[in-house]
Amino acid sequence: MDCFGIIPEKAWLQAAEAAENARRRAEVEAALEAKRKRDLEREAARQALLKIEKIVEIDETSRFIEDLEMPRTEQLPISADETSPDHGSLDALGSFRQF
């Protein structure tokens, strides 16, 4: 400082440059921290999806196994005609009935 309390121009420029460098470092550190946080969140989401996929796969497998183990008590129809509600009754014969 000179006798009037004025900072010489060179010192002022050095201080301004140091402040700008500090601001840039802080921005870079903040960007790196934000990237690290996004990466952690992305990894957590990926792990959650893997867990959900595993649960769904287990659920589908267990349903498949239950279906295989389910006893078949009713016979499935062989043809489309057997699916009609009148199947097996004489009324289904209609005009072929004898009087």
Side-chain angles (χ1 to χ4, degrees), residues 2 5 9 11 27 29 43 45 48 69 71 87 99:
D2 63 10
E9 185 176 348
E27 283 181 0
E29 288 175 10
E43 179 61 21
E69 293 173 345
H87 175 69
F99 294 96

Side-chain angles (χ1 to χ4, degrees), residues 41-97:
E41 289 172 351
R42 186 176 296 125
E43 179 61 21
R46 188 181 76 77
Q47 291 295 329
L49 282 175
L50 288 174
K51 186 176 181 180
I52 289 170
E53 287 175 355
K54 186 176 181 180
I55 290 170
V56 168
E57 185 177 307
I58 290 170
D59 187 52
E60 287 176 350
T61 302
S62 66
R63 284 186 186 171
F64 178 74
I65 291 171
E66 286 174 3
D67 287 345
L68 288 176
E69 293 173 345
M70 187 182 307
R72 300 290 179 195
T73 57
E74 59 184 59
Q75 185 178 6
L76 297 175
I78 296 172
S79 68
D81 293 336
E82 293 181 17
T83 60
S84 70
D86 292 332
H87 175 69
S89 73
L90 294 178
D91 292 334
L93 296 176
S95 63
F96 294 108
R97 284 196 290 174

